[in-house]
């Protein structure tokens, strides 16, 4: 029998004072759930939502309604990341060299000392290995444009790792991530991963994602060591990220499309898993025991998710629509409404959290598909696992920027678990539906 899914933890009563919301929240309207699926509600009567894991039944046995749509269902108040974004480079502009693994960057070729001699005091072209790179980033010998610093980035920090890649179609990487670790007041460790996806149709999407990832990471590293509850800290981190993106907007309103991005973050601390998000970047739970049930822990702020939640379309139909990826929630000065989503879980078995942009999950959409792609040794080789996931998206076509962080979660002995957390027991989840509804830069 499949092991229980991670338990959704309620709001502790001993939190600090309620933080002020970013913007006034309108009263939600009831939202019918799709047939056979129930969602834990956002808890509008509380300062933070409990999240809306969309796959299977609710983990705490309750069946409140999901958050109200952010903007009209006709998509008039949406941001279109895909389709309608930057067309990027032609599909054949980048190819893998002989012997290279598909998850490796095409720009990570071995250093050629003889080529360096041909261009003393300057960078050597990654294509011809002979020419000098001019100040504009082009080879003076073959004319090849050189990769930007953000085209492919990898970082491993203890037990957390992340990889970001430009993909094969976009001309630049508009994703960003931050991974970090800190100590809680009791001396135990807290691990942080934040992933952001710039909205391609907005101005300066790469700057927006970088600013959001850095601001959220900094806020979490400030709040967690002083003892803030992780769900409260995540809520405040998203507000800080939103403020950082807002600051990039032009002074003259309407002068240009304001910078915007999505965000998803994860904190592993004190035997708890905290998730926060705005937009359509996602977090997945994959147990180390692959016989257990994986879960998607976030629900997209998107047109397709609205249609499914409102019962107007089935998941297969909604996600096949050209409007599927029109996002209804984002960070940016022109956001229709900012409502950070947060949820906190207490897994009773070890596993891995996959935090990613849609550049990955477009190629492994369901939790079951994500679990199939993720290596079985992900908990001990997070960087390799992140590389494999990026490689999977590149092999699938790499139509978007791809960013993923892999965060192992090790369960604590019962006596070491957070004393303030409710000792709840998860219930076995039913089989996942066959069809299911993306600072280091």
């Amino acid at each position: 029998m499949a092991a229980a899914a991670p338990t959704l933890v309620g709001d502790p009563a001993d939190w600090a004072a309620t933080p002020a919301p970013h913007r006034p929240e309108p009263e939600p309207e009831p939202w019918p759930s799709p047939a056979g699926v129930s969602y834990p509600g956002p808890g509008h009567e509380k300062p933070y939502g409990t999240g809306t894991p969309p796959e299977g039944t609710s983990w705490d046995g309750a069946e409140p309604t999901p958050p109200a749509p952010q903007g009209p269902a006709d998509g008039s108040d949406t941001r279109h990341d895909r389709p309608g974004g930057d067309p990027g480079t032609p599909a054949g502009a980048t190819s893998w060299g002989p012997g290279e693994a598909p998850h490796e960057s095409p720009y990570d070729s071995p250093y050629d000392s003889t080529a360096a001699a041909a261009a003393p005091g300057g960078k050597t072209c990654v294509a011809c290995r002979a020419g000098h790179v001019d100040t504009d980033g082009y080879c003076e010998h073959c004319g090849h444009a050189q990769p930007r610093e953000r085209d492919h980035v990898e970082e491993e920090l203890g037990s957390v790792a992340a990889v970001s890649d430009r993909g094969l179609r976009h001309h630049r990487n508009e994703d960003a991530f931050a991974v970090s670790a800190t100590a809680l007041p009791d001396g135990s460790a807290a691990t942080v991963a934040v992933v952001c996806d710039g909205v391609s149709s907005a101005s300066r999407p790469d700057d927006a994602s970088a600013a959001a990832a850095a601001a959220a990471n900094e806020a979490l590293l400030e709040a967690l060591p002083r003892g803030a509850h992780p769900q409260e800290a995540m809520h405040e981190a998203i507000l800080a990220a939103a403020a950082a993106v807002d600051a990039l907007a032009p002074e003259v309103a309407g002068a240009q499309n304001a910078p915007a991005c999505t965000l998803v973050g994860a904190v592993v601390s004190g035997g708890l898993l905290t998730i926060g998000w705005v937009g359509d970047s996602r977090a997945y739970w994959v147990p180390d025991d692959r016989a257990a049930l994986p879960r998607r822990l976030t629900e997209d702020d998107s047109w397709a998710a609205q249609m499914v939640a409102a019962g107007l379309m089935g998941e297969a139909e909604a996600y096949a629509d050209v409007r599927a990826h029109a996002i209804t929630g984002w960070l940016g000065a022109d956001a229709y409404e900012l409502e950070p989503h947060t949820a906190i879980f207490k897994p009773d078995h070890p596993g891995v959290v996959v935090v990613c942009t849609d550049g990955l999950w477009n190629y492994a959409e369901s939790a079951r598909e994500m679990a199939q792609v993720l290596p079985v040794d992900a908990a001990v080789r997070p960087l390799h696992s992140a590389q494999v996931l990026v490689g999977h998206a590149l092999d699938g076509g790499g139509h978007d920027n791809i960013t993923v962080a892999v965060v192992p979660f090790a369960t604590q002995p019962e006596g070491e678990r957070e004393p303030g957390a409710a000792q709840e027991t998860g219930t076995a989840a039913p089989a996942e539906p066959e069809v299911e509804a993306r600072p280091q830069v």
Side-chain angles (χ1 to χ4, degrees):
M1 177 179 295
T7 301
L8 183 65
V9 178
D11 294 336
D14 56 352
W15 279 9
T18 301
H22 182 70
R23 294 179 185 172
E25 294 184 4
E27 285 298 319
E29 297 178 2
W31 227 13
S33 298
V37 182
S38 60
Y39 304 104
H44 282 278
E45 72 284 357
K46 303 173 185 177
Y48 314 103
T50 57
T52 54
E55 297 173 355
T57 57
S58 61
W59 294 311
D60 58 1
E63 297 188 5
T65 55
Q70 302 299 309
D74 63 2
S76 58
D77 283 308
T78 60
R79 292 300 289 265
H80 296 269
D81 192 6
R82 278 151 307 276
D86 180 10
T89 54
T94 304
S95 59
W96 306 116
E100 290 182 320
H103 62 263
E104 295 175 345
S105 168
Y107 310 114
D108 292 340
S109 303
Y111 181 75
D112 188 342
S113 59
T114 59
K123 294 183 178 180
T124 304
C125 175
V126 299
C128 70
R129 289 291 174 183
H132 178 269
V133 179
D134 63 21
T135 56
D136 293 327
Y138 291 87
C139 176
E140 294 178 344
H141 176 69
C142 68
H144 187 90
Q146 303 303 292
R148 297 176 177 87
E149 181 181 358
R150 288 176 63 170
D151 280 357
H152 186 89
V153 184
E154 300 183 357
E155 184 174 356
E156 186 172 32
L157 181 65
S159 63
V160 59
V163 176
S164 184
D165 193 273
R166 186 190 68 181
L168 304 179
R169 300 295 182 90
H170 280 264
H171 75 283
R172 64 182 174 186
N173 190 355
E174 297 167 356
D175 288 357
F177 70 80
V179 292
S180 59
T182 188
L184 300 179
D186 64 0
S188 62
T191 303
V192 174
V194 179
V195 167
C196 296
D197 182 355
V199 176
S200 295
S201 59
S203 63
R204 302 170 62 191
D206 50 339
D207 292 338
S209 62
N217 182 65
E218 182 179 353
L220 288 167
L221 292 182
E222 189 279 328
L224 294 172
R226 60 176 169 80
H229 190 279
Q231 194 171 7
E232 179 186 7
M234 180 64 76
H235 182 96
E236 291 298 315
I238 295 175
L239 296 183
V245 179
D246 289 353
L248 299 177
E251 295 182 4
V252 180
Q256 60 181 160
N257 203 355
C261 70
T262 68
L263 179 148
V264 61
V267 173
V268 171
S269 61
L272 297 175
L273 167 60
T274 305
I275 303 295
W277 75 97
V278 174
D280 64 349
S281 294
R282 293 181 177 180
Y284 293 82
W285 166 259
V286 180
D288 287 350
D289 178 5
R290 295 306 170 85
L293 188 71
R295 286 283 189 186
R296 171 154 59 93
L297 303 179
T298 57
E299 180 169 351
D300 302 341
D301 290 320
S302 71
W303 181 91
Q306 280 192 353
M307 295 299 101
V308 174
L312 300 177
M313 288 185 176
E315 287 180 321
E317 180 186 6
Y319 280 88
D321 194 283
V322 69
R323 296 164 290 181
H325 286 284
I327 56 175
T328 57
W330 63 89
L331 305 182
D334 62 351
Y336 174 76
E337 185 80 25
L338 175 61
E339 183 182 358
H341 309 293
T342 61
I344 191 164
F345 306 93
K346 187 167 62 176
D348 59 4
H349 47 288
V352 170
V353 186
V354 176
V355 184
C356 64
T357 62
D358 62 348
L360 170 61
W361 67 252
N362 275 327
Y363 299 98
E365 189 168 326
S366 71
R368 184 171 296 171
E369 289 172 324
M370 188 66 71
Q372 290 173 344
V373 178
L374 186 72
V376 294
D377 60 353
V380 295
R381 301 181 68 193
L383 178 58
H384 171 259
S385 299
Q387 292 169 336
V388 169
L389 292 175
V390 170
H392 175 75
L394 292 172
D395 289 345
H399 285 74
D400 198 1
N401 306 144
I402 310 150
T403 301
V404 57
V406 175
V407 190
F409 181 98
T411 55
Q412 293 180 310
E414 190 67 26
E416 298 180 13
R417 294 188 179 182
E418 185 184 56
Q423 298 299 313
E424 301 182 64
T425 302
T427 56
E432 185 181 8
E434 290 299 320
V435 181
E436 295 184 332
R438 47 259 255 235
Q440 183 67 38
V441 298

